[in-house]
Amino acid sequence: MGQPVATGAEPVTPTVGKAMLNKYARAFFTRVLTPFAAFLIRRGVSPDTVTLLGTAGVVAGALVFYPMGEFFWGTVVITLFVFSDLVDGNMARQLGRTSRWGAFLDSTLDRVADGAIFGGFALWYAGDGNDNVLCAVSIFCLASGQVVSYTKARGESIGLPVAVNGLVERAERLVISLVAAGLAGLHKFGVPGIQYLLPVALWIVAVGSLVTLVQRVVTVRRESAEAEAAAAAQESENASQGSEAAK
């Protein structure tokens, strides 16, 4: 869930805020998790194993606790296993591996974990939560998150950089949803009114995901037109040079 791999696509330049957050958060968690990652390596545990176990934990936490309305404990369990996303990448770096298989497995299981989280919300609102609108919003968050990821992957697969910073990408979707769910779960501990944080968060994620999807589609359309124009210009130039050489 965090294993590095070389890629031919150009990296997207992050915004200043995201860059600073990523820089300091990565440095902090690297210091904290490196000894644990080294311990797992000494015990013969592979990064792929950590990825699989982490995903299984997230799925279990989301689909066992959330449909019962246990948002606090579900979020605690999910958060603990989400850290595997950092551990497996740390292990891969310590081992000096850049595995295409690891990157593929990581990205695929990320989608499974995301689907389980929003699926858990949908099951709650379809059941004891008794709110069809929020059930639909949760399903939209699930589906739009998958499509947002697909647009970038598909754009890169046809040779485009998809150089855009979306309004609400995967990290933002998870942070907003999990923080809101964890706090909303405090309602069962007697904190009044806090349960409304989760519906608000789901609407924010839904709207943000829609905006991000539009941003990526527009970017791919623009980059595609630019690439085709450049290819046509190059073809015209080659034809011109061939014509000059034939004279």
Side-chain angles (χ1 to χ4, degrees):
M1 296 165 69
Q3 301 173 41
V5 64
T7 176
E10 297 179 14
V12 177
T13 304
T15 60
V16 174
K18 285 186 179 181
M20 292 181 64
L21 180 61
N22 289 338
K23 175 183 176 182
Y24 292 113
R26 184 178 295 278
F28 171 76
F29 284 113
T30 296
R31 287 196 300 270
V32 171
L33 297 174
T34 293
F36 180 60
F39 170 80
L40 293 177
I41 291 172
R42 290 195 299 270
R43 293 298 182 274
V45 180
S46 71
D48 286 351
T49 300
V50 174
T51 301
L52 290 166
L53 291 176
T55 302
V58 171
V59 170
L63 296 183
V64 171
F65 289 94
Y66 283 174
M68 297 189 299
E70 295 290 345
F71 294 118
F72 177 78
W73 293 114
T75 301
V76 169
V77 171
I78 290 170
T79 301
L80 290 174
F81 282 100
V82 160
F83 279 104
S84 67
D85 196 23
L86 303 173
V87 174
D88 61 3
N90 193 305
M91 293 172 67
R93 285 188 290 273
Q94 289 191 47
L95 291 169
R97 296 178 181 173
T98 55
S99 166
R100 284 183 170 82
W101 159 250
F104 169 80
L105 181 66
D106 179 65
S107 297
T108 301
L109 294 184
D110 280 350
R111 307 288 84 74
V112 173
D114 294 356
I117 290 170
F118 290 105
F121 294 145
L123 288 172
W124 162 250
Y125 287 116
D128 292 341
N130 193 29
D131 193 319
N132 290 336
V133 172
L134 288 175
C135 176
V137 172
S138 299
I139 293 172
F140 179 82
C141 290
L142 190 163
S144 61
Q146 308 296 319
V147 176
V148 164
S149 297
Y150 174 79
T151 54
K152 184 172 181 65
R154 182 58 178 148
E156 291 176 342
S157 75
I158 58 176
L160 301 175
V162 197
V164 60
N165 291 302
L167 179 64
V168 176
E169 298 181 341
R170 182 174 186 261
E172 288 81 9
R173 290 197 303 271
L174 288 181
V175 170
I176 293 170
S177 303
L178 293 178
V179 169
L183 292 175
L186 295 176
H187 178 68
K188 289 198 170 184
F189 295 90
V191 180
I194 202 165
Q195 71 272 21
Y196 298 111
L197 280 178
L198 181 56
V200 171
L202 289 174
W203 277 107
I204 290 173
V205 170
V207 173
S209 296
L210 179 60
V211 171
T212 303
L213 176 59
V214 172
Q215 287 176 307
R216 289 193 173 177
V217 169
V218 169
T219 298
V220 169
R221 179 178 175 81
R222 174 179 54 79
E223 291 177 348
S224 177
E226 290 173 351
E228 290 172 0
Q234 184 63 46
E235 184 177 345
S236 176
E237 181 179 347
N238 291 342
S240 176
Q241 290 176 350
S243 177
E244 290 292 331
K247 291 181 179 180

